[in-house]
Amino acid sequence: MRPGSWFRRIGWFLAGLLVLVVVAVAFMDWNWFKHPIERMASAKSGRSVTLAGPLQVHLWSLTPTVTLTGVTLGNPPWETDPQPMARIPRAEIHLKLLPLLKG
């Protein structure tokens, strides 16, 4: 085999792999990440954090957006009031990619 054919095969393989990743991300159900996000946020804050609504992610722009609905932040363990500390009906997180790439 010629050396050029190996590079061509590797190129086709990497291109196919990239297409597969893009299709997987496009059709991904982002709600799979709700419980891991709740666990990490609860561990970091020391309070119970719940996400009652759907998790919506829009990646295909220069400003990707994550929308959280029904966020509830509980009281710290030493607080006796059973009411949650905060109820946030909707929170949006926007990430500007161009400033990140510029450094």
Side-chain angles (χ1 to χ4, degrees):
M1 285 197 149
R2 295 186 342 238
S5 66
W6 281 103
F7 291 123
R8 197 171 294 135
R9 286 183 185 190
I10 291 172
W12 279 111
F13 174 75
L14 292 176
L17 189 62
L18 180 66
V19 167
L20 185 66
V21 168
V22 167
V23 168
V25 168
F27 293 107
M28 178 182 283
D29 182 17
W30 292 98
N31 288 313
W32 290 349
F33 295 107
K34 277 176 54 173
H35 297 297
I37 290 171
E38 288 175 344
R39 283 193 303 270
M40 285 189 295
S42 295
K44 294 286 184 183
S45 67
R47 303 161 191 255
S48 64
V49 176
T50 57
L51 302 173
L55 178 64
Q56 298 172 340
V57 179
H58 302 285
L59 287 179
W60 308 114
S61 72
L62 290 176
T63 309
T65 304
V66 177
T67 305
L68 306 167
T69 54
V71 179
T72 304
L73 183 62
N75 281 322
W78 47 265
E79 179 64 51
T80 59
D81 188 11
Q83 294 294 321
M85 185 181 97
R87 284 194 178 119
I88 304 167
R90 180 182 169 109
E92 284 189 9
I93 301 167
H94 300 274
L95 180 65
K96 293 184 180 179
L97 294 180
L98 288 179
L100 286 175
L101 296 175
K102 289 179 184 176

